[in-house]
Amino acid sequence: PDYCNTPDGMCLLPDNSLIVSMPNFNDEKSPPLMVKLTPDNKVEKFYEFPNPYPGYPEKLARIRPMGVSRDPATGNLYLADMQYMLDKDQKSRMWKLVVKDGKVEKMVLVASGFNVANGTAVRDGCVYITESVLEEVVFTDTVPAHTTYVPSTITSSKGTTHVNGAVLSVDGFGLATSETVTITFRVTVDAGTA
C-alpha cells in the first residue's frame, strides 16, 4: 500500500500472519505504523502510532519502529524505536505494545537511552534489544531487594566500576560490533529472607 514506504522488522504470530514495522523513513508524510500481513496475503493496518507522540520534544515525538518481537507468554509486542538519525545522544527507546484480543491496548516505555536501537527478541521471559552503536556505555544496576552487596566484589572486563550505596555502575568504555563486556558482583541474602 502507498502508506508503507519503508518496511523494517517483523515477527510471526500464532495464526501465521506477520507483524511488520513501518517507520516510513523514505516519506515521513506517511505515519509510522505496524501492519499485519495475513496468511492469505492481505495487508491490514495493525497499529498506527500517535504522531506526534505526546510528552516528547517535537524532534523526538515521531516513533520510528524498527525490530519487533512477540512475547509468547503474554502476546505483547516489543519494538525498538530508533531515534539516532535525529539525535545521536542516546535517545532511542524500547516500547511494549500491550495487546488484548488482537488489538494494541496501549504503549508502555520499557527502556530508553540507546543510541541505535535496532532489533528485539524475547526468550524465556527476558526481552533483548540490539544496540548497533555503543560509543560510550554506562551500565547501572541496583542490588536486588533483600540482599547486601559484598564490598569490593564488583569487577568489569572494561571501564571503571563505582558503588554508591545499593547502586552499582560501570562507565568509561565503548563497544565494537560483537564485542562483550563481563561485569560481576556478589551479594549475600539478608538474614530472615525466605
Side-chain angles (χ1 to χ4, degrees):
D2 292 341
Y3 57 84
C4 299
N5 65 66
T6 318
D8 195 83
M10 65 182 81
C11 69
L12 184 64
L13 298 182
D15 68 355
N16 288 322
S17 58
L18 290 173
I19 297 294
V20 182
S21 64
M22 296 286 170
N24 286 331
F25 292 136
N26 292 326
D27 181 359
E28 291 198 352
K29 290 181 199 130
S30 296
L33 53 98
M34 308 295 279
V35 298
K36 182 177 183 179
L37 302 176
T38 65
D40 58 348
N41 293 322
K42 291 192 169 74
V43 178
E44 303 170 353
K45 285 187 180 180
F46 181 74
Y47 183 70
E48 189 169 321
F49 295 95
N51 190 27
Y53 194 84
Y56 284 95
E58 182 180 345
K59 184 166 116 176
L60 301 173
R62 182 183 173 101
I63 304 298
R64 289 170 165 77
M66 299 292 279
V68 60
S69 57
R70 180 181 175 276
D71 180 349
T74 65
N76 295 327
L77 301 175
Y78 290 87
L79 68 100
D81 171 16
M82 202 259 289
Q83 299 290 320
Y84 188 76
M85 293 176 290
L86 298 170
D87 190 328
K88 294 180 177 19
D89 190 25
Q90 300 176 323
K91 300 298 186 202
S92 294
R93 308 169 281 226
M94 182 197 305
W95 295 91
K96 174 171 68 172
L97 300 180
V98 178
V99 178
K100 300 284 186 205
D101 300 321
K103 303 280 184 208
V104 176
E105 185 177 83
K106 64 181 175 177
M107 281 179 61
V108 177
L109 182 64
V110 175
S112 60
F114 301 103
N115 281 319
V116 182
N118 201 353
T120 61
V122 179
R123 181 174 175 160
D124 298 331
C126 296
V127 180
Y128 301 87
I129 188 165
T130 61
E131 173 67 287
S132 300
V133 176
L134 292 175
E135 296 166 352
E136 185 175 330
V137 177
V138 177
F139 166 84
T140 303
D141 197 6
T142 303
V143 174
H146 310 294
T147 66
T148 301
Y149 168 70
V150 176
S152 302
T153 61
I154 187 170
T155 64
S156 179
S157 58
K158 287 185 94 172
T160 305
T161 62
H162 307 277
V163 178
N164 183 7
V167 178
L168 310 176
S169 62
V170 180
D171 62 16
F173 66 95
L175 287 175
T177 303
S178 300
E179 186 178 11
T180 61
V181 173
T182 302
I183 301 167
T184 61
F185 60 90
R186 291 181 46 208
V187 296
T188 56
V189 177
D190 296 341
T193 302

